[in-house]
Amino acid sequence: MNDPGQPEPSVPPVVAADIDLSRFVRPGDTVLWGQGAGEPLTLTAALAEQAEQLGGVTGFVGLTYNPRLAARGLRLRSYGALGTAADLPLDVVSCHMSALPYLLRSGRVHADVVLCQLSPVDADGNHSLGVTVDYLTAALDVARVVLAEINPAAPRTHGAPPIPHSRLAAAVPADHRLIQVPDPHPDPVTTQIGARVAALVPEGATLQLGIGAVASAVAAALREHRNLRVHSGLVGDWVVDLAEAGVLAHQPGKPAVVAGTAVGTDRLYDFLRENPAVEVRPVERVHDPAVAGRVAGFVAVNSALQVDLSGQVNAEAVGGRRRGAIGGQVDFLRAAAMSAGGVGVVALPATANRGSVSRIVERLDGPVTTGRADMHWVVTEHGAADLRGLDAAARAVAIRQLADPGHQHRLATAIA
């Protein structure tokens, strides 16, 4: 869900595709579809309507903003509770994003039927996956059936293998806008965080950022930087802001932006369309630490729900409620550690619930997403701490100083 006061995603109203899914989906099948703005909304609407008649199926959903997925006969699985999925009954597969291609190709995570949103066919008989590639390519490798929504609003993008029209068991036409997810407007707290993170980003760095309030604030603080590149699982409208501000590097034959998924507004989707400076790639070429770690000056910036005094990070659940995912956080932090001149950052506001709850805690109220040995920098609006080389006592003191002053005394008592 979005932070309070932030722009709400806009999901276009669609009519379910006129397709009899019983021709393709068997009882017990797992149906996987593209996440974020790459969700084929007319097909997922048809699946939700027909799931009970299909004899019970599982839907593998990633980041979604679709409110129509709570349907009888449709059991949902995911790699995390992201977007509206956080409010739905959901079975979560605990894994790093980099592991998903192996899990799919090995059959440990099933993808019997794949639903995808594609650009119109080109002169060679091929389609583009458009704004979402990530783990779809691995699912397409193993799927028994591929069904596609052909949408002119889906931009043709570079970076991924084309999808031959002959691979499709069926295709349905669509003509709706992609999901619109505006970047949040930085508030005073995230503006301070953004400025502190930007101070850690050297000129000429390659940035992993993501989407959300902190990501938007960091990008806003980087508009005076130059010669930056982006290598990120998720990108938002802030990529266009950086391009228009002259921040991104220009080198013929080398992309300025590499992403797995793009989630924003038409402004972003138009920027991606046939843009040779942008590549939307499979997970294996984005999240794999061995790939990203070869990029010199790789700066990974990730958010969190909590950080404890030992430096452990929780980005998944608080108070028993799932609100995130492991995702690519550990992948990218490890890549930053491997990169020559790399910087790994976890950035978060120091409090939640209007200051009443500290997000710097003695002990995590949820799972450990990132272990203390993988942590570099922690940043809040109150400061930045480099944890590398610190013993446990020094770490606790450094992290406590990042907490809101109103909560520091309690944390000092915990240290004592």
Side-chain angles (χ1 to χ4, degrees):
M1 298 295 289
N2 272 20
D3 296 332
Q6 301 297 349
E8 287 293 327
S10 174
V11 181
V14 300
V15 175
D18 183 13
I19 183 172
D20 179 3
L21 292 177
S22 67
R23 295 170 51 206
F24 309 103
V25 181
R26 301 169 183 169
D29 271 355
T30 293
V31 182
L32 178 149
W33 56 87
Q35 63 176 335
E39 181 172 338
L41 293 171
T42 64
L43 287 173
T44 53
L47 178 65
E49 288 184 2
Q50 299 177 39
E52 192 170 15
Q53 288 71 44
L54 292 173
V57 294
T58 297
F60 191 92
V61 55
L63 169 64
T64 184
Y65 302 99
N66 188 348
R68 301 172 68 174
L69 295 178
R72 283 192 172 191
L74 181 61
R75 174 188 177 190
L76 295 176
R77 300 185 83 204
S78 182
Y79 65 87
L82 300 168
T84 55
D87 299 316
L88 299 174
L90 192 69
D91 297 327
V92 174
V93 178
S94 296
C95 67
H96 302 301
M97 182 64 81
S98 63
L100 268 176
Y102 163 76
L103 294 174
L104 287 162
R105 291 191 174 103
S106 67
R108 299 190 70 85
V109 171
H110 293 285
D112 304 296
V113 178
V114 169
L115 312 179
C116 51
Q117 176 182 253
L118 301 177
S119 69
V121 70
D122 64 16
D124 297 320
N126 295 319
H127 300 270
S128 167
L129 284 168
V131 298
T132 296
V133 175
D134 52 37
Y135 53 83
L136 265 181
T137 53
L140 288 166
D141 284 346
V142 299
R144 184 185 75 247
V145 173
V146 179
L147 305 176
E149 171 191 280
I150 310 301
N151 188 353
R156 183 172 298 278
T157 56
H158 298 272
I163 308 302
H165 189 77
S166 59
R167 178 68 174 94
L168 309 180
V172 298
D175 190 14
H176 60 78
R177 294 177 75 188
L178 305 190
I179 292 172
Q180 306 289 301
V181 186
D183 279 350
H185 302 296
D187 60 19
V189 169
T190 54
T191 296
Q192 292 179 69
I193 295 170
R196 292 186 185 280
V197 173
L200 302 175
V201 180
E203 299 287 331
T206 295
L207 183 69
Q208 177 266 319
L209 194 51
I211 60 173
V214 170
S216 297
V218 172
L222 288 170
R223 292 183 190 178
E224 299 303 316
H225 279 58
R226 292 295 179 264
N227 201 36
L228 297 186
R229 297 183 187 276
V230 174
H231 183 109
S232 191
L234 272 169
V235 296
D237 279 5
W238 54 263
V239 164
V240 188
D241 294 334
L242 295 185
E244 293 178 348
V247 175
L248 298 182
H250 296 278
Q251 182 178 342
K254 185 174 183 180
V257 178
V258 169
T261 302
V263 178
T265 66
D266 287 335
R267 182 167 170 254
L268 173 63
Y269 309 141
D270 290 342
F271 175 75
L272 299 180
R273 191 179 299 273
E274 296 283 6
N275 188 343
V278 180
E279 292 191 359
V280 187
R281 296 178 177 175
V283 162
E284 301 95 309
R285 298 176 59 207
V286 180
H287 291 79
D288 187 340
V291 173
R294 289 198 295 268
V295 178
F298 184 68
V299 179
V301 182
N302 287 269
S303 60
L305 299 172
Q306 297 175 320
V307 175
D308 73 15
L309 293 177
S310 75
Q312 297 180 132
V313 176
N314 168 18
E316 300 171 69
V318 171
R321 182 187 172 200
R322 294 190 179 109
R323 296 177 54 197
I326 297 171
Q329 182 172 114
V330 177
D331 293 328
F332 289 130
L333 290 174
R334 288 178 175 172
M338 296 165 63
S339 167
V343 179
V345 180
V346 170
L348 71 164
T351 64
N353 294 351
R354 300 187 179 185
S356 64
V357 176
S358 179
R359 295 171 69 169
I360 305 298
V361 296
E362 180 184 359
R363 295 183 183 87
L364 298 182
D365 180 25
V368 177
T369 305
T370 298
R372 61 190 185 275
D374 284 313
M375 288 294 289
H376 305 176
W377 287 89
V378 181
V379 176
T380 73
E381 67 270 28
H382 300 294
D386 186 351
L387 304 184
R388 291 171 293 182
L390 299 184
D391 60 29
R395 274 178 170 242
V397 170
I399 294 170
R400 180 182 68 85
Q401 293 172 348
L402 305 179
D404 184 87
H407 295 281
Q408 287 192 15
H409 176 72
R410 178 181 55 80
L411 293 169
T413 303
I415 294 172

